[in-house]
């Protein structure tokens, strides 16, 4: 590791004699790293980042698999894309990006189709050669009585957007596995922008820029905080009062804090638990150089228990010469409701959850020297570029005034 990492062999038993930095950042994910980088660059302050994990980067952390030469995304596939020029220019200060363009495929009834649903998917599925206009008319017809309506539940919304046959083939069972809930019981907002394209464009994202960090995610994150004024303490729990960077100690010392952990955990769940979904991964290794021929394969049918499989080697074809041509590694992805202690991935965001978060948000407002940020701190799902944009904005509007000398 680079020289910013400081691991504690033993935690201090008290705060006596501790010289506190100007800012403590709880969580070494993209929000926290961006804030720390901005704090030293723009305010010249000293920053301590603490994280309960043994690595930086949050859920975007990656590492190299020695057997296959694949870069493993420990918490599932992370793909950088943005149309935000400020974010794109910012991240390019710390990494170059490959020319990777994300494309997804789905297996249904023993056949592979391109996603998102596009003219190629439609013509393959119906064994036809529809023009764009003909495909539009077909889907409107197949939406039946739901055409032109605005359904409240996911099942009917899916039918309204892409017609019953395509919805039932590619969305219904996949979504049921993803949420462990009948789609008729899920809100339409989950797929309100379900893409369908009446051309042969199967590029998954439509942002201006996309790619993967050329040297990997971890190298990118290390460069962000490569400054002697930033120190990092890993395997350090903010709620462990035996160490000097605990919630209690920092409150007593009056140190400004940027907190990116779960907002309900910060307040000891006193109002109740916010609900999340999590993901489990099952690793499978194959005696072949390439198993799927693509980075991500969705499995749309109910008889396959996982939602998708990720073949990491295929994210980086430019590294083929450094990869093992005889072995590959695949992670199968299983979705379920999170419990305490699980890794929270996706906020469920029912009306009850939104109301509960609003109450926690009001509590957070009573902590004037703590800024809550990131997915967990604000109970929102963010893509990476959105996290960085939110961090840059939060720094300008809320953090800089706390630390400006």
């Amino acid at each position: 590791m680079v020289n910013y990492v400081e691991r504690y062999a033993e935690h201090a038993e008290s705060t006596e004699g501790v010289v506190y930095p100007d800012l403590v950042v709880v969580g070494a994910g993209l929000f926290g790293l961006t804030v720390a980088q901005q704090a030293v660059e723009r305010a010249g302050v000293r920053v301590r980042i603490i994280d309960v994990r043994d690595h930086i980067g949050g859920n975007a952390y990656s590492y190299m698999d020695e057997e296959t030469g694949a870069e493993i995304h420990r918490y599932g596939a992370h793909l950088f894309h943005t149309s935000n020029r400020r974010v794109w220019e910012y991240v390019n200060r710390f990494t170059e990006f490959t020319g990777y363009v994300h494309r997804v495929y789905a297996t249904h009834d023993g056949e592979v189709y391109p996603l998102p649903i596009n003219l190629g998917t439609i013509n393959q599925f119906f064994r036809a050669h529809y023009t764009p206009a003909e495909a539009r008319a077909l889907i409107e017809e197949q939406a039946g009585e739901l055409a032109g309506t605005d359904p409240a539940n996911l099942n009917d919304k899916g039918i309204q957007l892409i017609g019953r046959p395509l919805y039932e083939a590619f969305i219904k069972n996949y979504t049921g596995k993803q949420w462990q809930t009948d789609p008729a019981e899920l809100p339409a907002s989950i797929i309100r922008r379900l893409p369908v394209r009446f051309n042969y464009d199967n590029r998954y994202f439509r942002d201006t820029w996309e790619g993967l960090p050329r040297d990997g995610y971890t190298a990118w994150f290390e460069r962000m905080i490569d400054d002697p004024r930033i120190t990092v303490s890993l395997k350090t729990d903010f709620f462990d009062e035996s160490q000097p960077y605990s919630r209690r100690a920092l409150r007593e010392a009056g140190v400004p804090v940027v907190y990116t952990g779960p907002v309900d955990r910060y307040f000891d769940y006193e109002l109740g638990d916010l609900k999340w979904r999590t993901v489990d991964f099952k690793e499978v290794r194959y005696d072949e150089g390439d198993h799927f021929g693509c980075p991500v394969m969705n499995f749309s049918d109910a008889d396959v228990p996982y939602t998708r499989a990720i073949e990491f080697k295929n994210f980086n074809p430019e590294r083929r010469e450094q990869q093992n041509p005889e072995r590959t590694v695949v992670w199968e992805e299983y979705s379920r409701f999170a419990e305490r202690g699980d890794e929270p991935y996706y906020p469920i965001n029912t009306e009850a959850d939104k109301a509960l978060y609003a109450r926690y948000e009001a509590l957070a407002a009573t902590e004037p020297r703590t800024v809550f940020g990131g997915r967990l701190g604000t109970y929102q799902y963010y893509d990476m570029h959105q996290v960085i944009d939110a961090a840059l904005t939060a720094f300008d509007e809320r953090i800089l005034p706390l630390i400006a000398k």
Side-chain angles (χ1 to χ4, degrees), residues 132-364:
E134 291 169 340
R136 286 180 187 275
L138 174 71
I139 284 182
E140 185 172 352
E141 176 187 341
Q142 291 177 340
E145 70 280 4
L146 294 172
T149 66
D150 188 21
N153 72 74
L154 187 152
N155 188 80
D156 291 352
K157 186 65 178 179
I159 295 170
Q160 182 256 326
L161 287 171
I162 61 174
R164 187 178 298 274
L166 289 168
Y167 166 76
E168 293 186 346
F170 297 106
I171 306 300
K172 181 178 181 178
N173 293 318
Y174 184 92
T175 303
K177 290 187 291 184
Q178 191 174 32
W179 290 90
Q180 294 178 298
T181 303
D182 185 332
E185 304 298 320
L186 293 169
S189 59
I190 293 175
I191 60 164
R192 195 168 297 281
R193 294 181 179 86
L194 181 69
V196 56
R197 299 173 186 163
F198 296 101
N199 57 33
Y200 291 95
D201 178 12
N202 70 333
R203 177 180 172 182
Y204 195 78
F205 303 117
R206 305 191 82 169
D207 282 305
T208 306
W209 301 285
E210 70 174 296
L212 294 170
R214 188 168 299 280
D215 302 323
Y217 280 103
T218 299
W220 165 12
F221 304 146
E222 288 174 348
R223 293 186 191 115
M224 288 183 72
I225 54 173
D226 187 16
D227 188 293
R229 294 167 291 184
I230 298 174
T231 52
V232 180
S233 298
L234 301 178
K235 296 189 284 188
T236 302
D237 187 350
F238 181 59
F239 302 100
D240 175 7
E241 295 190 357
S242 72
Q243 58 89 14
Y245 299 97
S246 68
R247 176 183 57 181
R248 179 186 60 80
L250 294 171
R251 274 177 174 169
E252 291 176 354
V255 179
V257 170
V258 173
Y259 175 79
T260 67
V263 62
D264 50 358
R265 175 69 183 94
Y266 184 94
F267 294 104
D268 297 319
Y269 306 104
E270 64 179 81
L271 302 177
D273 290 37
L274 291 165
K275 302 298 188 297
W276 294 81
R277 292 196 61 75
T278 191
V279 176
D280 296 320
F281 299 100
K282 177 184 177 182
E283 182 176 285
V284 184
R285 292 177 181 263
Y286 294 95
D287 291 324
E288 51 189 310
D290 191 351
H291 185 69
F292 284 115
C294 63
V296 177
M297 179 68 72
N298 285 9
F299 290 87
S300 303
D301 300 332
D303 60 351
V304 179
Y306 46 94
T307 54
R308 64 180 184 171
I310 305 165
E311 188 165 10
F312 294 100
K313 287 173 69 173
N314 289 323
F315 285 127
N316 298 102
E318 76 282 357
R319 301 178 188 166
R320 198 63 76 189
E321 290 186 3
Q322 289 79 48
Q323 296 172 345
N324 186 343
E326 299 178 354
R327 292 283 283 171
T328 192
V329 57
V330 169
W331 281 18
E332 298 168 353
E333 188 171 307
Y334 300 78
S335 180
R336 61 178 173 84
F337 289 103
E339 300 177 359
R340 283 194 194 179
D342 286 330
E343 200 64 57
Y345 279 77
Y346 307 104
I348 294 178
N349 262 335
T350 63
E351 291 305 314
D353 285 310
K354 292 176 183 177
L356 179 57
Y357 172 66
R359 294 173 64 201
Y360 275 120
E361 191 175 27
L363 270 183

